[in-house]
Amino acid sequence: MVSKFEKELSSYLNQEDLSFTKDDREKTFNKIHSQTTTQYHNKSSFTRPIVPIMATIAVFILAIALIPSFILNEKQNSEADKSITSAEEGNGDSVLLLMGEDADRHRNPFNLLLTFNFDKESVKVVSLPRDLHVDRYNAEGEKFEKTKLLHVGAHDNDPAASVKTVSHYLDIPIDYYALMPMEEIFQLLGIDDENKIYEIEEQNSLANLLEKDQKFPELMELISHHQTNLTEDIFNQMEKKSNQYDIIQLEEGLNNIFEDEIYYVELEPSFLEKLKNDL
């Protein structure tokens, strides 16, 4: 049986639950709004730093990826600068292609490749045969049909065409070139007989004659009066009379061939590889 006190208490509690005034509602809504706003600001304050942190991480990763390429480019540029500086100071090697031009027939019967070692004051000389079977390149480095080295200048009178052709054939960078009339070379040797000149062309014996008569220093002097891209400093180094000239003979590695009934000569592959290494 419920006591009078319990009934009164129950009645009071029921009245309290039902007495939810307008002021109470406003207070409750304001409290809820305040809690929601606080939660939003707390969430915003947590997520806001994420964006710059992620951007920083992305930049860091990108930098790590690019650093090796920057280092490689810097190394290549440094090596190129050292190579140029070394050549200008007369250190290391410099390669010159000397072409004897037959202007009447628009061809270069004589092509002497000279590799200068300034430290040792030595020069390696290769006299390339006029009938050498080579891939022809133009001055821009575009590859064309195979032909005689003799005819490269007829297809492209820019000396760079012959330079690129010989450079590709021997797989060696050629730093400088010089182009001069072949008549002056033979005047230097005291040869004016056309039959003798033709024989020298055919036998590819120009380098041997220059060495025999010790005419290389005088030949280098002649270069300064003709078309060349030699700088003054490099030319002065090359012109030294103390340079020792070593003629590399090709005869034992040459083979005669015919293609479409045209006569050529070519170097045996093994001999050509040895020549590349010797240069």
Side-chain angles (χ1 to χ4, degrees):
M1 186 173 182
V2 179
S3 67
K4 181 179 179 181
F5 173 77
E6 290 174 338
K7 287 182 178 180
E8 290 177 351
L9 177 60
S10 176
S11 175
Y12 172 77
L13 292 174
N14 289 337
Q15 289 177 2
E16 281 295 307
D17 289 341
L18 295 174
S19 59
F20 194 73
T21 67
K22 180 178 180 181
D23 290 339
D24 292 333
R25 285 197 301 273
E26 290 179 355
K27 290 178 181 178
T28 301
F29 291 149
N30 288 337
K31 186 175 181 180
I32 293 171
H33 177 71
S34 175
Q35 291 175 344
T36 303
T37 303
T38 302
Q39 291 175 354
Y40 172 77
H41 285 307
N42 289 339
K43 183 177 180 181
S44 298
S45 64
F46 174 76
T47 58
R48 232 186 336 258
I50 295 296
V51 174
I53 291 174
M54 293 301 292
T56 302
I57 293 174
V59 170
F60 181 71
I61 293 173
L62 181 61
I64 291 176
L66 292 177
I67 283 173
S69 63
F70 288 144
I71 293 175
L72 178 60
N73 289 338
E74 185 64 26
K75 182 179 179 182
Q76 291 173 339
N77 291 337
S78 176
E79 288 176 351
D81 291 342
K82 287 179 181 178
S83 176
I84 293 171
T85 303
S86 176
E88 289 179 347
E89 292 177 352
N91 300 319
D93 293 347
S94 284
V95 182
L96 167 70
L97 180 63
L98 173 59
M99 295 164 279
E101 180 185 28
D102 181 350
D104 294 335
R105 292 181 287 179
H106 305 287
R107 61 181 197 166
N108 302 333
F110 299 101
N111 293 272
L112 298 181
L113 188 76
L114 299 94
T115 302
F116 291 79
N117 186 307
F118 297 124
D119 293 331
K120 297 180 179 179
E121 294 188 344
S122 65
V123 187
K124 293 179 179 178
V125 183
V126 178
S127 183
L128 298 169
R130 65 176 188 180
D131 298 317
L132 190 64
H133 201 209
V134 296
D135 290 317
R136 180 177 70 85
Y137 288 80
N138 66 7
E140 288 70 40
E142 298 173 303
K143 183 179 177 181
F144 291 89
E145 77 290 345
K146 280 185 172 292
T147 187
K148 293 185 178 186
L149 181 57
L150 172 72
H151 296 152
V152 173
H155 289 282
D156 191 334
N157 61 6
D158 188 332
S162 293
V163 169
K164 292 185 182 298
T165 296
V166 174
S167 178
H168 278 90
Y169 181 74
L170 294 176
D171 192 23
I172 182 175
I174 297 176
D175 308 298
Y176 306 103
Y177 74 86
L179 183 67
M180 59 188 301
M182 68 174 193
E183 291 83 1
E184 291 195 25
I185 300 175
F186 288 111
Q187 287 174 8
L188 181 64
L189 291 168
I191 299 173
D192 57 8
D193 185 281
E194 290 187 5
N195 292 328
K196 180 63 175 178
I197 292 173
Y198 182 81
E199 181 182 331
I200 295 171
E201 282 188 36
E202 191 175 42
Q203 295 179 358
N204 190 38
S205 56
L206 178 62
N208 292 327
L209 290 174
L210 289 166
E211 173 61 12
K212 179 183 175 182
D213 293 347
Q214 299 182 347
K215 294 294 186 180
F216 271 109
E218 293 178 54
L219 178 65
M220 295 305 300
E221 169 60 29
L222 284 176
I223 287 176
S224 64
H225 303 294
H226 296 287
Q227 184 178 348
T228 182
N229 65 340
L230 283 167
T231 64
E232 184 177 356
D233 290 340
I234 294 298
F235 176 77
N236 289 337
Q237 289 290 326
M238 290 182 174
E239 197 186 14
K240 282 184 177 179
K241 291 182 171 55
S242 58
N243 285 331
Q244 299 296 314
Y245 290 85
D246 177 24
I247 313 299
I248 299 178
Q249 306 296 339
L250 303 182
E251 286 73 14
E252 65 181 66
L254 285 175
N255 290 325
N256 301 324
I257 62 171
F258 287 88
E259 283 196 6
D260 298 326
E261 300 183 352
I262 299 175
Y263 171 76
Y264 300 94
V265 296
E266 65 178 8
L267 287 170
E268 294 178 359
S270 60
F271 188 93
L272 179 58
E273 287 304 312
K274 182 178 182 301
L275 176 62
K276 292 177 181 179
N277 293 329
D278 289 344
L279 292 173

